[in-house]
Amino acid sequence: MSSTTNGQWYPPEWPDRIRALANGELTPAEPRRAATVLLLRDSASGGPTVHMLRRRTSMAFAGGAYAYPGGSVDPRDERPIAWAGPSRAQWAVRMGVDPATAQTIVCAAVRETFEETGVLLAGTSAETVVTDTTGADWEADRAALVAHELSFADFLARRGLVLRADLLGAWARWITPEFEPRRYDTWFFVAALPEGQHTLPQGPEASPGAGESPGASTEADLAVWIRPEEAAAGYDRGELLMMPPTIATLRSLQPYATAADALGAAEAQNLTPVLAQARVVGGEIELSWPGHDEFTKHIAPSGTAAPGDGDAGTHGPSGGSPA
């Protein structure tokens, strides 16, 4: 991987793949559905912080990049579960899918958040949410979910829990570019950290380089709570590596003073899918993401970027994280 003027992930094999796609030599893969969650909590210094994970540098896909907890839909996410909040039909209308698909995506968001952070958006009733997910029994269940030894439906049923769909807000939708070999259709959600719960591992609010602690995910080596504007500034300085949907959603969070404000604004967010467009004109590649001009890149026939261009990236779970 490489990055140029900022911290944006840019795979060196992209120009060849883009040209192969333009020449009809590459058939786009079908994107898998996925979900990721911008988990928020208010900070004492003012403004919400967001929970981010740094992907292990050993990962073949976007190693070292900062992302949110998330991953692809498990076919078992369609199993019947106890559900509270907006109905599946209401979610279907909001997301532009059928009710069964809406359930799988919302379940994936809640399940992946628990798997990667230990935070669970569920309660014993439609009005409650669990306040403590620590302890050996919870950790055993989390490990079983990660290993696909336990379905999310069975996990909730055994504990007598109801999924709190009302604690999520749909925020954005990004689709991996057609020239990527692994593609994901990813819905981004916002959620507030429930009172009494902690991310795993527990620790004080941290920023990269200060108060860091190992992440709970097998794909991450660092977990941090950071203000969106601070993370975005780190990206702009080239210090924090991110993919386009990650930095784009970070910037979109900056106007909100509290986690509740962001959740309240979710209903008005545009869920039109963002899909990169690549054109080859006179041997030069123009790569762009509609509505996100900062990611536009011009790549010369030699495969190098034109001076002054922004960097370009992709997104999708590499086995797990889609952001």
Side-chain angles (χ1 to χ4, degrees):
M1 90 182 76
S2 64
S3 60
T4 57
T5 56
N6 54 20
Q8 194 174 343
W9 184 65
Y10 175 61
E13 66 273 15
W14 270 14
D16 288 343
R17 295 190 64 84
I18 291 170
R19 290 190 171 92
L21 180 66
N23 293 334
E25 301 165 357
L26 183 67
T27 301
E30 188 69 22
R32 296 176 59 186
R33 294 189 179 96
T36 190
V37 176
L38 285 66
L39 188 62
L40 306 172
R41 74 177 184 188
D42 294 327
S43 65
S45 58
T49 57
V50 61
H51 188 67
M52 303 192 76
L53 304 172
R54 186 179 65 192
R55 296 175 57 76
R56 295 185 185 278
T57 55
S58 59
M59 299 292 291
F61 180 90
Y66 283 80
Y68 312 116
S72 49
V73 165
D74 183 330
R76 298 176 299 174
D77 289 332
E78 67 184 15
R79 293 181 179 178
I81 61 168
W83 181 284
S87 68
R88 296 161 180 79
Q90 289 173 302
W91 275 106
V93 171
R94 173 74 177 114
M95 299 169 69
V97 297
D98 61 83
T101 299
Q103 174 182 305
T104 65
I105 296 166
V106 171
C107 278
V110 176
R111 174 180 51 77
E112 288 283 344
T113 299
F114 179 63
E115 288 182 10
E116 297 197 13
T117 72
V119 171
L120 183 59
L121 303 177
T124 55
S125 71
E127 293 78 33
T128 63
V129 63
V130 294
T131 57
D132 186 5
T133 59
T134 60
D137 58 333
W138 286 101
E139 181 56 26
D141 280 347
R142 192 179 71 83
L145 286 167
V146 171
H148 300 284
E149 297 168 353
L150 176 66
S151 73
F152 192 57
D154 288 344
F155 163 71
L156 293 177
R158 194 179 72 213
R159 287 186 172 270
L161 296 175
V162 176
L163 183 145
R164 291 287 305 274
D166 55 321
L167 300 182
L168 286 168
W171 195 261
R173 181 183 177 188
W174 290 66
I175 301 177
T176 310
E178 292 181 330
F179 46 82
E180 264 293 298
R182 288 184 300 180
R183 302 186 62 217
Y184 299 88
D185 184 353
T186 306
W187 276 262
F188 288 70
F189 297 86
V190 290
L193 179 70
E195 186 175 353
Q197 291 195 39
H198 302 274
T199 53
L200 297 176
Q202 297 181 33
E205 178 171 300
S207 60
E212 299 175 348
S213 54
S217 170
T218 57
E219 296 182 353
D221 61 7
L222 176 68
V224 300
W225 285 98
I226 187 169
R227 295 180 65 184
E229 55 268 35
E230 293 174 357
Y235 165 90
D236 291 336
R237 292 191 299 267
E239 297 171 0
L240 303 185
L241 190 66
M242 296 181 200
M243 294 169 275
T246 309
I247 182 60
T249 48
L250 275 173
R251 296 200 199 283
S252 70
L253 284 175
Q254 293 183 37
Y256 303 100
T258 66
D261 287 344
L263 281 168
E267 191 64 30
Q269 299 302 308
N270 187 354
L271 297 186
T272 300
V274 179
L275 174 64
Q277 297 178 350
R279 299 190 307 156
V280 180
V281 181
E284 180 183 82
I285 295 172
E286 180 182 275
L287 182 58
S288 63
W289 277 256
H292 300 272
D293 292 343
E294 72 168 297
F295 305 133
T296 298
K297 190 179 190 71
H298 294 85
I299 305 170
S302 63
T304 58
D309 261 344
D311 211 359
T314 188
H315 67 290
S318 80
S321 178

